[in-house]
Amino acid sequence: GLAVGPKEIKKISALVYQDDLIFKTMTVREALEMSALLRIPGDIPAESRSERVEDILYLLNLKRVENTI
């Protein structure tokens, strides 16, 4: 693996307070989309945010449960 510093970690990770921001009625996909909307700067196109959500679903092996609550 590669050694990474705090800047790199901050770029690829986030803490999401589920009780405050993510509703219990959201699916896995909806929760990730909400997180992306809140974390990714507004000048980034919606298509890029959607692609990022797809990447995360695959990286975390969540595709099979993306539409579950």
Side-chain angles (χ1 to χ4, degrees):
L2 297 173
V4 293
K7 284 185 180 181
E8 290 81 16
I9 295 294
K10 186 174 172 117
K11 286 180 184 178
I12 62 169
S13 64
L15 174 65
V16 177
Y17 294 99
Q18 292 184 0
D19 291 337
D20 296 336
L21 302 174
I22 308 301
F23 298 108
K24 294 177 182 177
T25 57
M26 285 183 166
T27 65
V28 173
R29 173 177 285 284
E30 290 168 336
L32 288 172
E33 288 172 346
M34 174 67 81
S35 180
L37 186 62
L38 295 171
R39 296 265 314 160
I40 297 174
D43 61 338
I44 303 298
E47 184 176 316
S48 293
R49 279 195 303 272
S50 294
E51 289 172 2
R52 185 68 180 253
V53 168
E54 281 297 319
D55 290 345
I56 297 300
L57 287 167
Y58 279 107
L59 286 170
L60 298 179
N61 198 26
L62 294 172
K63 281 300 286 181
R64 60 184 165 69
V65 296
E66 69 180 308
N67 295 311
T68 63
I69 295 177

